[in-house]
Amino acid sequence: DSGVTQTPKHLITATGQRVTLRCSPRSGDLSVYWYQQSLDQGLQFLIQYYNGEERAKGNILERFSAQQFPDLHSELNLSSLELGDSALYFCASSTSGRAVDEQFFGPGTRLTVL
Amino acid sequence: QKEVEQDPGPLSVPEGAIVSLNCTYSNSAFQYFMWYRQYSRKGPELLMYTYSSGNKEDGRFTAQVDKSSKYISLFIRDSQPSDSATYLCAMSANYGQNFVFGPGTRLSVLP
C-alpha cells in the first residue's frame, strides 16, 4: 500500500458526461501528479500540483482540469467525455515535486465511457 | 518516433533466468532515469533510480544507463514468478521536469 488513495475505483459513464476523480496524497507529501494510462498510449503525464499551485502540465486536454485543495487532496475533472477517454487514471504524490523524488502511485480509477 | 520506446512484449522466461529489459530514447537531455514495476490492476512502484550514466545494483536488480547510445537497461537475476509484471522506464531532463514514461514491457516468469 503506497499511502495514496483514489476514489472511486471504477466509474462507468456515457459520452458527453462530466466526472470528478479524487486523490488523497501520502501524509506529508506536497506534490500531486495525475496520469492517464491506456493500452495504446501507455502512461501519460497530465498535470502536477505542488502545495496548491500548478507546477507542470503535460498532455492534458482542454476538456480536463484539475486542482489541489488546501488540505492537499486533488481532484481531476473530465468533461464532455469521449469514448477515447476510457482509461486508468492514476494519481501519484511525492515529497517536494522535484524530478529526483520518488513518486508513490495510488491504485487508480478505471473510467469506462460508453 | 516516440520519445521513449520499449518492446511491449510479452516476454516469457523460465524461473531463474536472467532478464534484460530495455528502453531507447531520443532526447539527449534526459539525465534522470527510473524503472517502475506495475502489477496487474495496481499502480506503478519505483524499482530503481539512476542519475546520468553508469550502473546501479540493488539486490537482484541492476540498472544501466548508456547516454551515448541513448539506451537504458534493467537486468533481473534469478527471476522469480513474483517478478511477473509490466516494467516501465521513465526519464526526465532536469530537476523539476515531469517524467516521460515508456509504454512498458510485460514480463512473465514461468515456474
Side-chain angles (χ1 to χ4, degrees):
Chain A
D1 184 358
S2 67
V4 178
T5 60
Q6 287 186 250
T7 56
K9 276 191 175 179
H10 302 278
L11 202 46
I12 302 175
T13 188
T15 54
Q17 295 298 305
R18 173 189 167 94
V19 296
T20 297
L21 313 183
R22 184 189 167 100
C23 167
S24 292
R26 290 187 323 155
S27 176
D29 283 357
L30 298 178
S31 196
V32 167
Y33 307 75
W34 285 98
Y35 293 87
Q36 179 192 60
Q37 187 175 42
S38 56
L39 279 174
D40 56 343
Q41 291 289 323
L43 196 63
Q44 300 281 312
F45 167 72
L46 295 178
I47 197 164
Q48 177 198 1
Y49 280 83
Y50 174 77
N51 204 21
E53 300 288 326
E54 182 184 304
R55 174 165 278 194
K57 225 171 192 177
N59 302 320
I60 187 165
L61 299 171
E62 283 193 16
R63 300 184 286 110
F64 296 0
S65 65
Q67 53 183 327
Q68 186 179 27
F69 294 87
D71 67 352
L72 301 177
H73 92 271
S74 178
E75 291 181 356
L76 178 67
N77 300 295
L78 314 176
S79 61
S80 303
L81 285 168
E82 301 175 359
L83 295 177
D85 297 327
S86 295
L88 264 172
Y89 290 84
F90 286 105
C91 165
S93 72
S94 71
T95 308
S96 71
R98 301 172 305 172
V100 297
D101 289 342
E102 178 178 358
Q103 292 181 30
F104 295 86
F105 283 77
T109 293
R110 182 172 293 278
L111 173 66
T112 302
V113 182
L114 300 175
Chain B
Q1 183 191 7
K2 289 187 176 179
E3 209 167 4
V4 180
E5 308 236 27
Q6 271 184 275
D7 186 333
L11 176 63
S12 293
V13 301
E15 184 175 354
I18 296 175
V19 177
S20 172
L21 303 166
N22 311 297
C23 283
T24 58
Y25 60 95
S26 57
N27 187 348
S28 57
F30 286 146
Q31 51 182 341
Y32 297 94
F33 303 93
M34 293 187 177
W35 283 96
Y36 280 83
R37 177 176 60 197
Q38 184 176 19
Y39 290 114
S40 181
R41 302 183 186 280
K42 300 282 188 184
E45 55 179 339
L46 182 66
L47 266 183
M48 301 282 287
Y49 158 63
T50 52
Y51 169 70
S52 196
S53 284
N55 294 0
K56 184 173 183 178
E57 192 172 316
D58 184 1
R60 297 184 296 110
F61 298 91
T62 299
Q64 280 187 356
V65 174
D66 182 348
K67 289 185 69 180
S68 62
S69 302
K70 300 195 191 74
Y71 188 89
I72 68 171
S73 301
L74 177 71
F75 297 96
I76 307 174
R77 289 183 298 281
D78 187 25
S79 57
Q80 303 294 310
S82 59
D83 295 326
S84 298
T86 296
Y87 289 80
L88 305 159
C89 62
M91 43 199 83
S92 171
N94 59 47
Y95 209 56
Q97 196 174 59
N98 55 276
F99 275 83
V100 179
F101 281 79
T105 298
R106 193 153 55 94
L107 171 67
S108 182
V109 180
L110 307 172

